[in-house]
């Protein structure tokens, strides 16, 4: 039976809880209802008169709530909080705590109920605002690069092949057809993917979201792509997480290095492309997604299909509109504009006024650039930072260029200290280049070489003798 309190005590308690904006529910030390305020009725949809002389268990028995927090507190006298959905349809944060008598015996358990509906609405609006801010930020970055103001602008050229690719990309952008961009590493496949998105109507309805399929293990890639519900696996966020498909809804999802997409996940990706809906890990509900897919790889997918390393049905689903970007050695007209562009960019970045000598320029124009646009950009940055004089000579060029063109003898993969300023700048260079900046350039160059000479990120990490996670982080840091 419910514990009896004096009328004076009850009157004071009733006046106190009615002055509180949050819902209040008080039960005695056995769990029987004592009182609740008007806010409790308003936010829960439960008539407090129906609880008179009843045990809290009555709410559970009538399926008004799935759990009673105050009854949990009565078991061990420990204060606790839970989010509970009530008949009103609202999610409430319920916090219950024991109330003690002067003699140390339990007197009652007091529950406060805070409505999270408004807070959730504000959070949702904030999330939507952040998505819009990120979308506009990416749009501004793209416009800056298009206008020549960005240091990462790679899509520069004047050759017939370059203009053909650009024209094709503009036509493709007007549709929602899936695009497969192929070509060797470093030619700018990711930049072309961004170009297609920002030339399309989807630039106004969604974001450009990039997924690096090579940098994540299969289990992590699955959760990143498709999202997960709470409790889907150990260490999962309590509120679950949206996947990349949902983040790209209305926009473009760029699957970079699709050739390294785990075989065991390819059937699931195929189903999403066919059905245009996803399911979270640990979830049953189908979630529709409106996403334009652009994929890219430097691998021969046709050969991988023949070797049963890539699903044939997925290949044909991705290869709706193929776009091939040839290596730089096959479009030499683009080398000079790129050199000029990156020289201007890095002179501005480092507040220098470096220029190339005729010999250095001729050497660069005759070099095959196996690393393509990425190698041009990194080489220009390197000579701008490391050269001792305002005029960059061929002796300042990286060892691999001098070796390939036989500009000096006995040059290995890494140039010796006497081979030029790139490896060991003279006193003037040491005085003008901060140590941190020089170390960053050297680290970036080592990472670039390891990536270009390795089949996978894991192999590159082993060569550099660092963790895969460290390599992935530095790869992003230096935009390699």
């Amino acid at each position: 039976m419910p514990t009896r309190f004096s009328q004076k005590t009850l009157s004071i308690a009733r006046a106190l809880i009615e002055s509180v904006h949050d819902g209040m529910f008080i039960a005695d030390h056995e769990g029987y209802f004592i009182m609740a305020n008007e806010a409790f009725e308003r936010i829960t949809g439960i008539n407090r008169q129906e609880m008179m002389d009843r045990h809290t268990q009555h709410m559970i028995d009538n399926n008004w709530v799935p759990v009673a927090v105050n009854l949990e507190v009565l078991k061990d006298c420990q204060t606790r909080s839970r989010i509970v959905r009530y008949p009103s349809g609202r999610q409430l944060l319920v916090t219950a705590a024991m109330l003690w008598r002067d003699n140390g015996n339990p007197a009652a358990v007091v529950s406060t109920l805070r409505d999270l509906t408004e807070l959730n609405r504000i959070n949702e609006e904030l999330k939507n605002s952040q998505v819009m801010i990120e979308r506009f930020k990416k749009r501004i970055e793209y416009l800056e690069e298009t206008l020549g103001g960005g240091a990462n602008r790679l899509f520069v050229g004047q050759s017939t092949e370059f203009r053909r690719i650009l024209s094709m990309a503009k036509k493709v952008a007007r549709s929602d057809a899936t695009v497969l961009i192929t070509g060797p590493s470093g030619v700018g496949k990711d930049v072309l993917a961004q170009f297609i998105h920002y030339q399309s109507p989807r630039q106004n309805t969604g974001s450009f979201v990039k997924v690096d399929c090579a940098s994540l293990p299969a289990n992590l890639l699955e959760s990143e792509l498709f999202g997960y519900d709470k409790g889907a696996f150990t260490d999962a966020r309590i509120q679950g997480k949206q996947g990349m498909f949902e983040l790209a809804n209305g926009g473009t999802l760029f699957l970079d290095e699709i050739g390294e997409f785990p075989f065991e996940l390819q059937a699931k990706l195929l189903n999403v492309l066919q059905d245009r809906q996803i399911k979270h890990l640990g979830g049953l509900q189908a979630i529709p997604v409106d996403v334009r897919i652009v994929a890219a790889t430097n691998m021969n997918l046709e050969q991988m299909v023949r070797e049963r390393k890539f699903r044939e049905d997925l290949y044909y689903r991705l290869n709706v509109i193929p776009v091939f970007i040839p290596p730089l050695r096959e479009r030499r007209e683009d080398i000079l504009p790129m050199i000029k562009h990156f020289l201007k960019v890095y002179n501005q970045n480092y507040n220098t006024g470096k220029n190339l000598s005729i010999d250095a320029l001729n050497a660069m124009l005759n070099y095959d650039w196996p690393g393509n646009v990425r190698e041009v950009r990194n080489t220009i940055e390197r000579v701008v930072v490391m050269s001792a004089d305002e005029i960059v000579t061929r002796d300042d060029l990286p060892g691999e260029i001098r070796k390939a063109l036989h500009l000096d003898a006995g040059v290995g993969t890494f140039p010796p200290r006497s081979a030029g300023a790139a490896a060991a700048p003279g006193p003037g260079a040491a005085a003008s280049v901060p140590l941190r900046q020089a170390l960053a350039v050297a680290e970036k160059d080592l990472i670039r070489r390891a990536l270009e000479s390795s089949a996978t990120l894991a192999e590159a990490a082993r060569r550099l003798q660092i963790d895969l996670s460290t390599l992935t982080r530095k790869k992003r840091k230096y935009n390699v």
Side-chain angles (χ1 to χ4, degrees), residues 412-471:
T413 305
F414 294 89
R417 292 186 180 276
S418 60
S432 62
V433 179
L435 177 61
R436 180 181 299 176
Q437 191 178 91
L439 289 173
V441 171
E443 184 177 53
K444 178 179 178 180
D445 189 52
L446 286 170
I447 292 172
R448 174 184 60 81
R449 295 191 199 185
L451 290 171
E452 288 175 353
S453 60
S454 303
T456 64
L457 279 176
E459 182 183 337
R462 285 196 299 271
R463 289 190 176 191
L464 293 168
Q465 297 182 13
I466 59 177
D467 294 335
L468 179 59
S469 59
T470 302
L471 176 58

Side-chain angles (χ1 to χ4, degrees), residues 47 169 215-216 218 326 348 388:
N47 187 339
S215 64
L216 297 172
Q348 290 175 347

